[in-house]
Amino acid sequence: MLLKPALLLVSLLPGVRAFATTASPPSPPSAPLPVCYSENDLSEAEQATMVEQQTLYLYNDTTLPEDKSNIFNTYFASGLKWMDSYKDKFDPEIFTMQTVDSLTMVKYMQGNVFQLPTTSNKPEDVTFELPAPSELTAPEYSLKYMPILDMAALIKAKVVSCVHVVDYFTARLVEFEPYLAITSLLLTETARAKALAYDAMIANSTYLGPLMCIPFGMKDHHQIDDEVTADGHILYGARVKPLKSSLMAALEKAGAIPIAKMQMGAWANGPIHGWGQCMSPYLTGNGGGSSCGSGSGAALGALPFAISEETWGSIVSPCRENHISGHLTSYGVFSRGGASILSPTMDHFGFHSRWIKDYGVILNAGRTGADPLDADSTAFEFVDPAKVDLASIKVLIVTGDGKAEYNNETGAWSWNSAVPLGGKLGWHWKEQMELVMEAFDAAGIAYDAVDFDEAVDMWEHLKDDIVKEWPYNEEGANMFSSSYYAVYSQTSWAKIQQFYLGHENSHRRSRWGARTIPLKLMRNINWYMTHMGKLFFNDPLWETYDVVITVDAYSVSQSMHSGFEQWVRTAKTFLVDHYQETPCLREGAKEGAFMTLTALPFKDYLNVAVGTVIQEHPPIKAKILYPDEGAIKTAFDGRTRCPYAFYDSMYPDPEACPDPNEEGFPFYGLSSSGENGLNPKPYATMRNGCIIGNPGQHLPTAWATSPYVPKYELTDAMPDEAIYRWETYGPVACTHVCPWVPSLCEYKGITCDRRRLEAEAVHLAKFPAAVPEKPFPTIGTDEKAMLEELMEDV
């Protein structure tokens, strides 16, 4: 049970275990975590206790489920009982997954909306053909933007050594880290040792496969060995997790070599981590979030590929801001075991990498089958995308002549909505799709091209009465806005809801907070998702088309809420196919736009097969623009942790922007609130976490304005001046901090003994209002009423 500060203080007095600086991270229990409990197994007192444990429950709704066979509530109750049973056996810093013995909500949904695979193969069962090795010898060629398969051919043929490849990409990360702030931790020693060992194996004709010796980075929430895993959060700068990442183990088994852990937005939100702000190598602003380091590193050519993660936009956003392609895996492909997971319902893994033709190798090596550490991981049959019969594929292309139009009466520009305008997506869409159709004609891929309105009419599931009327009502209440909070009511977020200093030091302090919602509403959301999932996956459209290409990154039918497919887990590939120079930005700035390819779960390889045809089409491939390395160093020379000078000088000549619809017009160039419908600053601005005096600021001013130094170069990775509001929470750390992040207190030498606890009690008595109840907003009563009305609609 999560205790109030006063109760927590009592619990830590003599006779109860305190958090001492010498404590080592606890080991996970030897026995599997408990299976899902039936509500019939729980007494009324136990059920009441479970509700009480959700101390930030919205609306104080303690209604018990009416349908005792409802799997979702069983899972929800099980999660709370698990939290209570293992609270003394698990470090609260671990952020674990439900195990294979747990019947998770998502698996329950998937088993009801489509049949899980009954056949499977293993990664070693799938073989890939390498291209003929280049006749060039080192150093006459560049590894920087070389496709993985080409690099693999050179390595296997001993044209280049593993050590050379690892050293090259490590040096590139080090060279650009002072400018982009994208690397959390270098793994140089272990990476080089593996490279030396692999060179010896290759010399003895032992070859592990196409990923052997290929360096990669990963979002810094995976534990590999005994290194620090910080989750982008300043308070976790000394945290070592006892559980190892299953995905990292799978990739290493295939011979890939991890060389760096990449920065991520603090607690997986936004581009601002505890040590600065990730930036895009294309000089258009930040690197997106929260997988900012992964996306930026891959775009820079400092990583052949980088593992990323998405709850709701954390792979899409770095694709958009770093102009790098990426893939969001479908249901159960990559295990999340051993990684820090905040939302088991929506979190799933993917990656960023420039060349789509390499995606099959990454997907095959990373799939883990049914991993005991992740109940949603699933074994299935994978196919080498290069061996797919292209003539057997049919693609639906949603096209349209989207463009800006000038209204003579209003004197303003506006978008004509022929295709949705989603940020950078939509501009030049007609020209993009014409090239795609040209590529398909050359490759023999069948397709139909329809406009946006025609495409919406083709989806039968959108004609369902529930879909048409719900989850929106006349007042605009959105069930999905609450579903975002709902996903945090399980496991990890349930354990840290009261860890206010953690929220104070992340973007969540002002945006999402740590909310949960009533069981009744949760039950309705689950019903709706299952109902919609059945309609969606059994829509007749999927009987005709294997892949659908849309401008919308989230909704393949372009009419569902952006959270829907995060729950049901389709396969999505984000292919950057259009680049342009932008003359009204600083020198070296370039933009890119992507299309989204969607396939059904476990059909990721079809996206890759189709995406490869598109990207390798000569007129499309010729459009690729790479980052300007000299311009990067000039733009960020002497940067501060929050790069204020960069944002102050982003627009040297706003008048140089071309007119709308012309090449080079900024993709963020329209604004309904701007003069003449134009955006005076059509690019990213400094995010709230860095804006001094903003309610969302979470980097202390002195720290934010100090010169940027990489985290891995600091002698003190978590100085007091780097922790937002440490002057408030530090004096009561044993009460308000150490229970949540004991590694921080151990690092700072804080021992929660009797003397320290007595001192904190005196401090709290003297300053009872020193620590606020919560640093984030709550849903108001008006929204509560609207949501309750939505419940009744079901």
Side-chain angles (χ1 to χ4, degrees):
M1 178 176 178
L2 302 181
L3 303 174
K4 296 180 179 179
L7 296 176
L8 180 60
L9 184 59
V10 171
S11 72
L12 290 175
L13 289 176
V16 180
R17 180 177 64 90
F19 292 85
T21 60
T22 57
S24 58
S27 301
S30 56
L33 296 182
V35 299
C36 231
Y37 288 89
S38 165
E39 290 169 2
N40 294 326
D41 295 335
L42 307 176
S43 68
E44 290 187 7
E46 286 177 312
Q47 294 180 39
T49 299
M50 290 175 187
V51 172
E52 184 182 355
Q53 285 176 320
Q54 294 294 292
T55 52
L56 292 186
Y57 235 60
L58 294 186
Y59 326 141
N60 195 30
D61 185 340
T62 58
T63 305
L64 294 175
E66 297 174 2
D67 179 7
K68 292 191 175 184
S69 65
N70 182 278
I71 298 296
F72 176 75
N73 288 297
T74 300
Y75 170 61
F76 181 80
S78 171
L80 293 176
K81 188 161 187 176
W82 172 88
M83 183 177 71
D84 187 58
S85 301
Y86 287 90
K87 65 183 179 182
D88 292 327
K89 298 179 182 179
F90 266 88
D91 189 317
E93 301 175 272
I94 295 177
F95 301 139
T96 54
M97 285 296 306
Q98 293 291 307
T99 68
V100 72
D101 297 307
S102 301
L103 180 58
T104 70
M105 185 191 77
V106 180
K107 178 161 283 189
Y108 168 74
M109 282 173 45
Q110 304 296 27
N112 276 272
V113 300
F114 66 82
Q115 293 300 313
L116 296 169
T118 57
T119 61
S120 63
N121 58 8
K122 296 181 179 179
E124 53 266 31
D125 297 330
V126 183
T127 59
F128 296 86
E129 294 183 8
L130 299 181
S134 170
E135 297 179 359
L136 297 176
T137 57
E140 297 177 61
Y141 57 85
S142 174
L143 297 172
K144 188 177 358 181
Y145 299 115
M146 184 178 289
I148 290 172
L149 291 172
D150 293 0
M151 204 180 308
L154 294 178
I155 292 168
K156 186 178 182 181
K158 305 185 187 71
V159 175
V160 62
S161 70
C162 296
V163 169
H164 176 77
V165 173
V166 165
D167 285 351
Y168 176 86
F169 286 103
T170 300
R172 190 159 174 78
L173 283 174
V174 171
E175 179 183 0
F176 286 91
E177 177 59 20
Y179 308 104
L180 298 178
I182 59 176
T183 306
S184 177
L185 181 67
L186 294 171
L187 305 171
T188 308
E189 292 185 10
T190 56
R192 213 164 192 279
K194 289 176 183 177
L196 284 166
Y198 287 165
D199 277 334
M201 291 173 64
I202 292 174
N204 290 321
S205 301
T206 300
Y207 187 64
L208 300 180
L211 279 189
M212 187 173 187
C213 304
I214 301 299
F216 73 100
M218 79 295 302
K219 193 170 182 175
D220 187 18
H221 62 160
H222 292 272
Q223 190 72 41
I224 303 174
D225 293 313
D226 59 355
E227 79 288 349
V228 169
T229 300
D231 289 13
H233 202 296
I234 190 69
L235 301 182
Y236 292 80
R239 188 266 306 269
V240 178
K241 297 166 50 176
L243 294 177
K244 306 298 189 288
S245 167
S246 301
L247 177 55
M248 295 301 103
L251 292 171
E252 289 191 280
K253 181 181 177 182
I257 300 178
I259 64 170
K261 305 182 82 167
M262 308 309 292
Q263 286 289 11
M264 56 186 281
W267 263 357
N269 199 304
I272 300 175
H273 50 82
W275 296 267
Q277 184 179 92
C278 291
M279 301 304 291
S280 168
Y282 281 95
L283 303 181
T284 51
N286 65 69
S290 61
S291 305
C292 55
S294 295
S296 184
L300 178 66
L303 296 168
F305 73 99
I307 296 299
S308 307
E309 171 274 338
E310 172 152 336
T311 303
W312 197 352
S314 291
I315 291 178
V316 174
S317 174
C319 287
R320 181 180 64 241
E321 305 304 335
N322 296 295
H323 321 318
I324 182 69
S325 296
H327 184 79
L328 182 58
T329 57
S330 65
Y331 176 76
V333 174
F334 286 172
S335 169
R336 299 162 297 172
S340 302
I341 294 297
L342 292 174
S343 169
T345 306
M346 291 174 71
D347 286 0
H348 43 310
F349 292 155
F351 51 86
H352 291 96
S353 187
R354 185 168 294 277
W355 304 108
I356 305 297
K357 67 181 181 181
D358 292 331
Y359 284 19
V361 175
I362 303 169
L363 282 165
N364 185 60
R367 62 194 178 104
T368 52
D371 177 21
L373 293 178
D374 180 1
D376 287 333
S377 58
T378 304
F380 65 99
E381 193 159 353
F382 187 75
V383 177
D384 175 9
K387 297 183 175 68
V388 171
D389 179 10
L390 298 178
S392 68
I393 296 176
K394 190 165 187 180
V395 179
L396 177 64
I397 301 172
V398 181
T399 188
D401 191 10
K403 58 185 177 182
E405 295 179 343
Y406 187 77
N407 187 317
N408 289 316
E409 294 183 4
T410 63
W413 291 90
S414 62
W415 188 249
N416 69 357
S417 299
V419 294
L421 181 63
K424 297 181 179 181
L425 310 180
W427 292 100
H428 311 290
W429 186 255
K430 180 182 178 182
E431 295 87 341
Q432 288 175 259
M433 293 304 102
E434 287 174 349
L435 289 176
V436 169
M437 288 183 269
E438 185 180 288
F440 287 173
D441 289 337
I445 294 178
Y447 63 89
D448 288 327
V450 300
D451 64 29
F452 173 78
D453 292 332
E454 290 175 314
V456 171
D457 288 339
M458 293 173 71
W459 291 98
E460 289 296 322
H461 73 271
L462 297 179
K463 300 173 184 177
D464 181 77
D465 287 341
I466 294 293
V467 179
K468 289 189 294 185
E469 301 298 331
W470 199 63
Y472 300 94
N473 69 359
E474 294 178 0
E475 288 80 11
N478 180 358
M479 182 64 75
F480 279 95
S481 68
S482 288
S483 76
Y484 192 88
Y485 306 128
V487 301
Y488 292 134
S489 65
Q490 310 152 40
T491 57
S492 300
W493 267 112
K495 291 192 290 183
I496 60 172
Q497 287 181 83
Q498 289 183 324
F499 182 22
Y500 298 153
L501 186 61
H503 294 279
E504 293 274 20
N505 282 270
S506 79
H507 187 46
R508 300 184 187 277
R509 76 181 299 264
S510 63
R511 189 179 182 191
W512 299 114
R515 305 171 180 174
T516 57
I517 63 177
L519 289 176
K520 185 177 180 182
L521 181 54
M522 296 282 280
R523 183 169 65 251
N524 289 344
I525 292 173
N526 181 46
W527 178 90
Y528 178 76
M529 288 295 186
T530 303
H531 175 82
M532 273 304 307
K534 289 178 181 178
L535 296 174
F536 173 72
F537 283 121
N538 293 285
D539 196 294
L541 185 141
W542 291 116
E543 297 176 5
T544 303
Y545 302 104
D546 302 287
V547 175
V548 181
I549 299 177
T550 61
V551 69
D552 193 317
Y554 295 98
S555 173
V556 65
S557 63
Q558 303 192 97
S559 296
M560 288 299 297
H561 186 275
S562 61
F564 173 66
E565 289 182 66
Q566 303 289 352
W567 288 53
V568 300
R569 312 259 183 91
T570 47
K572 288 189 177 290
T573 303
F574 311 112
L575 194 167
V576 182
D577 68 315
H578 182 86
Y579 292 80
Q580 69 175 24
E581 303 276 0
T582 307
C584 53
L585 273 183
R586 66 164 61 249
E587 183 179 354
K590 303 166 187 176
E591 286 189 290
F594 64 84
M595 66 183 75
T596 298
L597 286 67
T598 303
L600 289 174
F602 315 112
K603 302 294 184 182
D604 303 63
Y605 61 88
L606 293 176
N607 275 358
V608 179
V610 172
T612 299
V613 169
I614 296 171
Q615 190 179 54
E616 296 297 316
H617 186 52
I620 293 176
K621 196 171 185 177
K623 288 177 172 285
I624 295 176
L625 299 176
Y626 298 105
D628 185 326
E629 297 180 10
I632 293 172
K633 294 179 178 180
T634 298
F636 294 109
D637 183 38
R639 65 162 285 181
T640 51
R641 296 190 178 279
C642 292
Y644 300 103
F646 171 84
Y647 286 105
D648 289 342
S649 58
M650 280 191 72
Y651 307 97
D653 186 8
E655 299 299 323
C657 283
D659 289 334
N661 303 320
E662 292 185 6
E663 193 73 19
F665 178 73
F667 291 159
Y668 286 147
L670 295 182
S671 173
S672 59
S673 60
E675 184 179 358
N676 300 326
L678 302 180
N679 188 349
K681 292 188 175 183
Y683 285 92
T685 57
M686 182 68 75
R687 296 294 290 269
N688 290 349
C690 279
I691 298 177
I692 298 171
N694 187 282
Q697 180 184 357
H698 58 86
L699 263 64
T701 301
W703 183 247
T705 56
S706 65
Y708 178 73
V709 178
K711 171 178 168 287
Y712 58 79
E713 290 185 359
L714 294 172
T715 55
D716 182 358
M718 297 181 290
D720 291 355
E721 62 269 21
I723 301 174
Y724 192 75
R725 299 202 66 198
W726 183 248
E727 70 282 358
T728 298
Y729 286 85
V732 291
C734 287
T735 308
H736 287 81
V737 181
C738 300
W740 310 106
V741 58
S743 61
L744 171 70
C745 294
E746 180 178 351
Y747 181 86
K748 289 187 172 293
I750 299 173
T751 302
C752 296
D753 54 19
R754 184 185 181 91
R755 178 175 297 181
R756 171 75 188 225
L757 293 171
E758 289 175 347
E760 292 197 7
V762 171
H763 182 85
L764 287 170
K766 187 175 181 180
F767 305 104
V771 179
E773 292 186 2
K774 54 182 176 291
F776 38 79
T778 57
I779 291 178
T781 55
D782 290 342
E783 185 173 355
K784 172 193 172 183
M786 285 187 271
L787 291 172
E788 288 176 342
E789 181 181 337
L790 289 176
M791 295 182 209
E792 298 305 320
D793 290 343
V794 184

